[in-house]
Amino acid sequence: MKRTYGALLGACATVAFASAAYAETITIATVNNGDMIRMQGLTDNFTAKTGHEVEWVTLEENVLRQRVTTDISTKGGAFDIMTIGMYETPIWGANGWLVPLDDLSEEYDVDDILPAMAGGLSHDGTLYAAPFYGESSMIMYRTDLMEKAGLEMPEAPTWSFIREAAAAMTDRENDINGICLRGKAGWGEGGAFITAMSNSFGARWFDMDWNAQFDTQPWKDTLEFYVGMMNESGPAGYATNGFNENLSLFQQGKCGMWIDATVAASFVTNPNDSTVADSVGFALAPDTGLGKRSNWLWAWALAIPAGSQKEDAAKQFIEWATSKDYIELVAENEGWANVPPGARTSLYENPNYMEVPFAQMTLDSILSADPNNSTVEESPYVGVQFAAIPEFAGIATEVSQEFSAVYAGQQSVDEALEKAQAITNDAMEAAGYR
């Protein structure tokens, strides 16, 4: 009996030693939004399953983009997993900078990923990043303030209605702004919003010969409308407001309307965080009657930089964090309204989730965004709120800085558009497009 018990102890020790030997510590760079922070709180579940530990580097959106771009382009090796999106993934995959995710397990069910998300995170049919969540953008609005203004939100409103409603809901004495929108510099912050908005006004970044289009009437119309509306009905200092700043304002009851990422719906309707959770409605992003709405298409996704020494552990984490089981885990702990949306077809077939008030509007918004046909006039690029070329991030960051200077009252619309035209054409000529 003693010999058997001793042998058992030895076997257990061997297993424990083997598990410890194969356990890794992986480092993940991610954005500081609510869904990613929630995931960090659930990471013990992953560690318990695999033995792998996780170290998080959580960064503001603009800083994250800069850090991961620098790290992967210089082969810095600081991260085993990066949180990136639909802009970076196909470009970096084509460059050989990312590990292909073409061997995920059958249980993971890669075919369940929404086609719009899988397509945007692939190059030549190979998936290079797995979507943690997918999003478009839509209108979130205060139903009580809309009713008080004597207006009714259409399911598919125009920009002229939104401006009228924003003015009617603005109450400066009570610190209520009719509308909150991104103005913060950065191609993925205010730059993403104004580009998506410009699509609905008939603007585009480039014509078919890659000539910049900021000297056209649609861009002037877009900026003048935006600035006029925000000066009338937006918050003070909107030139420095991005996603997180506007989320905070809305949750505090200081915004009548907010047009931004569909993923924000779970935060503004969460009574633990939002003072207006019981009076939020949703509608499609506005248009001007030209056939294009002003909603974007995006996924925050997890990818592994090529050359990672911890590829197996990183893939295990990606499978865990973007799986159906993870969605169930969040639902169990936080409720169905707080699961990561927009990534999997099965989520929108789940009767529990379809009872969530913003689920259908999120799906409708995602399905209405077409990155292959995002502008009124024909354009040479793929992308809704970006042009999927390597040079775009640098160009658009500079252009967004010029636009933010307009919002801050530091220059005119005409001055900013003239500078944007020169910045863009000079960069495209240097890159050999023109």
Side-chain angles (χ1 to χ4, degrees):
M1 190 72 177
K2 289 182 181 179
R3 290 176 61 189
T4 305
Y5 180 66
L8 180 61
L9 285 176
C12 290
T14 301
V15 170
F17 177 79
S19 297
Y22 287 106
E24 301 274 14
T25 298
I26 56 175
T27 302
I28 304 176
T30 197
V31 66
N32 65 338
N33 67 29
D35 279 290
M36 306 310 279
I37 291 169
R38 182 179 290 129
M39 180 168 64
Q40 294 174 38
L42 295 171
T43 304
D44 286 347
N45 178 276
F46 169 74
T47 299
K49 286 179 178 293
T50 65
H52 302 310
E53 300 284 345
V54 179
E55 291 184 353
W56 293 92
V57 179
T58 307
L59 302 166
E60 186 271 332
E61 186 171 325
N62 286 336
V63 177
L64 172 74
R65 288 191 166 103
Q66 184 179 29
R67 284 280 299 276
V68 299
T69 300
T70 300
D71 189 73
I72 202 163
S73 61
T74 61
K75 296 183 172 61
F79 309 113
D80 301 298
I81 294 175
M82 295 175 167
T83 306
I84 60 176
M86 288 185 167
Y87 169 68
E88 300 94 345
T89 302
I91 296 170
W92 293 1
N95 287 347
W97 292 356
L98 300 174
V99 174
L101 300 181
D102 53 4
D103 58 352
L104 299 176
S105 68
E106 185 176 343
E107 182 183 10
Y108 178 77
D109 191 7
V110 71
D111 292 335
D112 185 48
I113 297 173
L114 280 168
M117 300 302 155
L121 297 170
S122 299
H123 171 68
D124 280 351
T126 297
L127 191 72
Y128 281 94
F132 178 68
Y133 68 75
E135 67 180 33
S136 184
S137 50
M138 66 182 177
I139 304 167
M140 293 158 276
Y141 68 96
R142 291 273 300 278
T143 54
D144 55 337
L145 295 182
M146 188 69 72
E147 183 179 354
K148 183 180 178 181
L151 298 170
E152 184 175 343
M153 176 69 80
E155 185 174 305
T158 63
W159 274 112
S160 59
F161 174 85
I162 294 302
R163 187 168 183 171
E164 175 193 353
M169 288 192 285
T170 298
D171 182 354
R172 299 296 188 198
E173 289 186 4
N174 291 301
D175 200 18
I176 296 174
N177 308 285
I179 191 161
C180 295
L181 300 174
R182 298 188 193 191
K184 188 176 188 177
W187 74 263
E189 275 279 10
F193 180 85
I194 201 68
T195 295
M197 180 179 179
S198 77
N199 293 337
S200 69
F201 277 77
R204 53 184 176 165
W205 268 77
F206 305 102
D207 68 12
M208 294 303 292
D209 295 317
W210 294 102
N211 297 303
Q213 296 295 289
F214 293 105
D215 58 356
T216 62
Q217 191 64 39
W219 264 110
K220 184 177 175 67
D221 292 344
T222 302
L223 276 191
E224 287 184 342
F225 187 95
Y226 173 91
V227 172
M229 180 173 62
M230 294 300 287
N231 287 345
E232 291 166 1
S233 307
Y238 69 87
T240 58
N241 287 350
F243 175 86
N244 285 328
E245 291 82 4
N246 286 324
L247 171 61
S248 178
L249 286 170
F250 195 96
Q251 289 178 323
Q252 293 171 45
K254 296 182 179 181
C255 301
M257 291 179 288
W258 179 30
I259 304 171
D260 212 298
T262 51
V263 73
S266 68
F267 305 130
V268 298
T269 57
N270 186 337
N272 295 325
D273 302 314
S274 176
T275 62
V276 297
D278 61 349
S279 56
V280 183
F282 306 95
L284 292 173
D287 69 0
T288 64
L290 297 179
K292 300 295 177 185
R293 308 207 75 81
S294 49
N295 56 308
W296 61 63
L297 186 67
W298 186 253
W300 278 119
L302 303 178
I304 305 169
S308 168
Q309 301 302 304
K310 301 174 183 178
E311 183 179 316
D312 289 344
K315 281 187 178 177
Q316 288 182 53
F317 183 86
I318 288 176
E319 284 212 17
W320 173 79
T322 65
S323 66
K324 298 176 189 178
D325 287 345
Y326 178 83
I327 290 174
E328 295 278 354
L329 178 66
V330 176
E332 181 181 337
N333 284 273
E334 306 281 347
W336 279 102
N338 295 308
V339 304
R344 286 186 170 270
T345 300
S346 57
L347 181 62
Y348 293 92
E349 298 169 347
N350 186 314
N352 293 312
Y353 189 68
M354 291 312 291
E355 291 180 3
V356 172
F358 49 81
Q360 189 62 52
M361 186 59 70
T362 295
L363 183 61
D364 290 346
S365 298
I366 288 171
L367 295 178
S368 71
D370 183 359
N372 294 306
N373 186 30
S374 62
T375 55
V376 173
E377 293 189 71
E378 191 178 10
S379 59
Y381 53 88
V382 172
V384 180
Q385 75 277 27
F386 58 83
I389 57 173
E391 296 77 15
F392 180 81
I395 298 169
T397 295
E398 287 191 58
V399 168
S400 73
Q401 290 166 351
E402 299 298 338
F403 290 173
S404 289
V406 177
Y407 311 155
Q410 297 167 356
Q411 64 180 341
S412 70
V413 166
D414 287 341
E415 287 170 332
L417 289 173
E418 184 178 351
K419 291 176 182 177
Q421 182 78 3
I423 288 167
T424 305
N425 275 340
D426 288 350
M428 295 300 283
E429 189 167 333
Y433 286 79
R434 303 175 63 244

